[in-house]
Amino acid sequence: MRVIGTAGHVDHGKSTLVEALTGIHPDRLKEEREREMTIDLGFAWLTLLNGEEVGIVDVPGHRDFIENMLAGVGGIDATLFVVAADEGVMPQTREHLAILDLLQIKGGVVALTKIDLVDDAEWLSLVEDDLRQILAGTVLASAPIVRVSARKRQGLDQLLQAITACLAERPSRPELGRPRLPVDRVFTIAGFGTVVTGTLSDGSFHVGDEVEVLPQGLKGRIRGLQTHKRKTDVAVPGSRTAVNISGVSVGQIRRGDVIAHPGDYRATDRLDVRFRLLPEVSFPLRHNNQVKLFIGAAEVMGRARVLGVDELKPGEEGWLQLELSQKVVAVRGDRYILRRPSPGETLGGGEIVDPYPPRRHKRFARETVARLVTLAQGQPTDVLLQVLQELGAVPLKEVFTRSNLEVSSVEAALGELLQSGQILLIEGNLYSISAYSENLVSTKDYWEKLVTRAVEEVGQYHNAYPLRRGMPREELKSRLKIAPRLFNALVSRLVENGRLKESGPLVCLPAHEIRFTPQQRQAVEALLTRFSYAEFTPPTVKECQVEIGDELYGALLDLGYLVQVSPEVVFKRETYIHVVDEIKRLLASQGTITAAQVRDHFNTSRRYALALLEHLDAIGMTLREGDVRKLRF
């Protein structure tokens, strides 16, 4: 499915020509019909000579509505570039051509319209010569020029032949499995609700799909799909698509939003871009100039940070970091336009190099420009390596999305990088490698730094708390600030290769042991002696902590010298084992036991007896029934 878009100066006959070709007048607004001038985007469709059906986006030509034109021209496959024979090349002819060139809309046909108004054949030849001069060096340099009269229906067959031939040379839109639809219209239909339209790219939509409205993050579901006013169950890449969405109101969506599957894309308010400043602009582009960004169907204010040079002069190319007032959806390789807000002027445009820069760049850092050059011009292996260096360790699917490369290129490059050891497969196996997989991958450098940091963090914890058996896993995860899945994979690898030991919720270095100083050993021995003299009425938890301190008391628990059975009661391990065994024996012979019987049997107090029995209930050894306990097993 393809879409072509009109372009050209106001009143050069774009809408009239579309109606003559399709039988559909694209001007849908009353004001447009009354003024005979396109103000907003119009839509139509036609069937080519080879049977292919294509959509048409008709854009306004008046300079006051150039920004409406930009909302529609970004998603087209080819251009129907319209120039009136009686007027020839005009200001918006040049501006529209510059925009098409910046957006790299490479396919196109030039319609020399209104030939019925020109009697002089030599004049038509002069207009064509003039056209050839301005088209030279642009994406339309080799476009055929077809003379037509929409009102007299002259040349329409030849124009259709030229459009058919042009589109036959254009590649089909790729099916990347991650559809996105930039919204250029949103409205409501009684009985159906919210409807949005746009040109679908990068994947297919199906009736029933869950979708997300970005950048807001609203969730909805596709109730219905239409292409060229015909219902369909599937909308394919490149088609003009109307989507009926449930769960989202018409007031929650605006032109420029993107409809996608949840999780496939995320919005951004910072972009790294390659930029070309048009030769005819009034002023250089200076650092931090205010600009208006046009990408997809979105229009957003922002500031342009010029990288590597002081400013860009008319006709120059360079690197920018755009900081936007609102979030947009963009992927690497998307084309965009920048305009000066006031006075309104098209400045230039280019290509998105990185839609998610990790930070605000230092303007004159050489490594920043080198990184951008790699992303813009590098081989797939270079691009993937650069993307991974920014992301750290992520699922392969995210690397694929961020790189915006073809599936075959991604998978071939991944295989090469894995084989060379430049990237590592953290989770999963080589047999399940694919661009869409959830397998975790990382650069070798990032992984080695993460491993080193994890081991160092555990070592530092041992130094800070030498009397603790290990570091809680959750604390290590918090210090590393990485996702749970990556953290679990990291700890598993470190335990496997002997860099760490794991004990329940704790991790430690293999050589770590709790060692007491002579002074601490003396304090411990004195406390344990008290336990030996009063086996069944030992010091309380609080008394222990006061006598030897919290850290040393915790070490005795970790080492197993003591067993704490309640917030207040603690026993020496040997005593605890003896008491538990004795209670088991009593229960086996008597069937039940009371707290008073435990108290009397061990010549202790009710506090110790109750604490012990409640502990045995908690660990599942005993079952309480009224005032007695019995064995669970």
Side-chain angles (χ1 to χ4, degrees), residues 457-469:
E457 288 286 357
V458 176
Q460 289 170 10
Y461 187 89
H462 290 333
N463 291 335
Y465 305 102
L467 297 176
R468 296 184 184 178
R469 191 158 49 93

Side-chain angles (χ1 to χ4, degrees), residues 204-256:
S204 301
F205 276 148
H206 298 75
V207 172
D209 281 357
E210 185 182 6
V211 291
E212 183 176 22
V213 181
L214 295 169
Q216 301 93 311
L218 303 171
K219 299 291 177 62
R221 194 168 295 279
I222 296 178
R223 292 180 58 187
L225 293 166
Q226 283 194 5
T227 296
H228 304 157
K229 291 194 174 181
R230 289 196 300 271
K231 289 183 179 180
T232 181
D233 291 329
V234 182
V236 298
S239 61
R240 282 293 307 169
T241 304
V243 185
N244 180 202
I245 304 177
S246 64
V248 184
S249 70
V250 69
Q252 292 177 298
I253 308 178
R254 60 182 182 272
R255 174 180 284 181

Side-chain angles (χ1 to χ4, degrees), residues 115 146-149 152-160:
I115 59 171
V146 181
R147 299 179 180 184
V148 297
S149 168
K152 294 194 174 182
R153 304 194 63 79
Q154 291 177 270
L156 296 184
D157 289 342
Q158 292 89 335
L159 183 60
L160 278 175

Side-chain angles (χ1 to χ4, degrees), residues 63-85:
R63 65 182 181 182
D64 291 346
F65 307 114
I66 190 73
E67 295 180 352
N68 285 346
M69 176 266 188
L70 287 166
V73 76
I76 63 176
D77 298 289
T79 310
L80 181 57
F81 195 66
V82 177
V83 181

Side-chain angles (χ1 to χ4, degrees), residues 288-523:
N288 222 31
N289 274 174
Q290 192 176 50
V291 293
K292 193 179 286 188
L293 168 74
F294 294 84
I295 182 167
E299 171 186 336
V300 178
M301 296 295 294
R303 292 198 174 272
R305 305 185 69 247
V306 181
L307 304 177
V309 294
D310 289 321
E311 64 180 22
L312 289 176
K313 295 180 175 59
E316 289 185 340
E317 288 192 38
W319 304 100
L320 304 178
Q321 186 170 66
L322 302 177
E323 296 198 318
L324 309 176
S325 61
Q326 301 172 43
K327 291 191 173 187
V328 298
V329 173
V331 300
R332 178 181 168 275
D334 279 354
R335 308 293 300 190
Y336 70 94
I337 298 292
L338 292 185
R339 282 179 56 82
R340 195 188 311 278
S342 181
E345 179 182 30
T346 300
L347 297 172
E351 185 177 26
I352 305 295
V353 176
D354 186 356
Y356 308 106
R359 65 190 67 84
R360 175 186 275 202
H361 299 311
K362 293 179 181 178
R363 288 187 60 204
F364 298 101
R366 290 183 180 178
E367 60 271 20
T368 296
V369 173
R371 167 184 162 277
L372 295 177
V373 169
T374 298
L375 285 173
Q377 302 174 1
Q379 295 298 312
T381 51
D382 300 322
V383 172
L384 289 182
L385 204 54
Q386 191 68 247
V387 167
L388 258 178
Q389 284 169 352
E390 294 171 13
L391 295 178
V394 292
L396 276 170
K397 182 180 178 181
E398 188 169 345
V399 182
F400 171 44
T401 301
R402 284 284 296 273
S403 66
N404 202 37
L405 296 168
E406 294 288 340
V407 175
S408 58
S409 298
V410 170
E411 293 180 348
L414 281 171
E416 184 178 333
L417 290 169
L418 285 165
Q419 189 172 13
S420 67
Q422 294 179 79
I423 68 172
L424 304 174
L425 188 62
I426 307 304
E427 201 178 74
N429 59 72
L430 291 171
Y431 301 105
S432 60
I433 287 294
S434 79
Y436 297 102
S437 81
E438 293 291 339
N439 289 342
L440 280 179
V441 291
S442 164
T443 63
K444 181 182 178 182
D445 181 59
Y446 175 84
W447 179 253
E448 288 178 348
K449 286 179 179 177
L450 186 59
V451 165
T452 300
R453 188 171 158 224
V455 172
E456 286 176 350
E457 288 286 357
V458 176
Q460 289 170 10
Y461 187 89
H462 290 333
N463 291 335
Y465 305 102
L467 297 176
R468 296 184 184 178
R469 191 158 49 93
M471 181 180 190
R473 284 174 56 103
E474 285 302 312
E475 183 163 348
L476 178 59
K477 185 176 76 173
S478 176
R479 291 192 187 188
L480 295 176
K481 294 182 172 62
I482 57 178
R485 183 183 174 194
L486 175 58
F487 174 76
N488 291 334
L490 173 67
V491 172
S492 294
R493 285 286 190 96
L494 291 174
V495 170
E496 272 177 34
N497 61 31
R499 301 288 297 275
L500 289 181
K501 285 173 62 179
E502 192 172 19
S503 177
L506 303 177
V507 291
C508 67
L509 298 180
H512 174 66
E513 292 181 5
I514 296 176
R515 293 185 176 91
F516 298 141
T517 66
Q519 185 178 359
Q520 289 169 337
R521 170 62 62 187
Q522 185 178 357

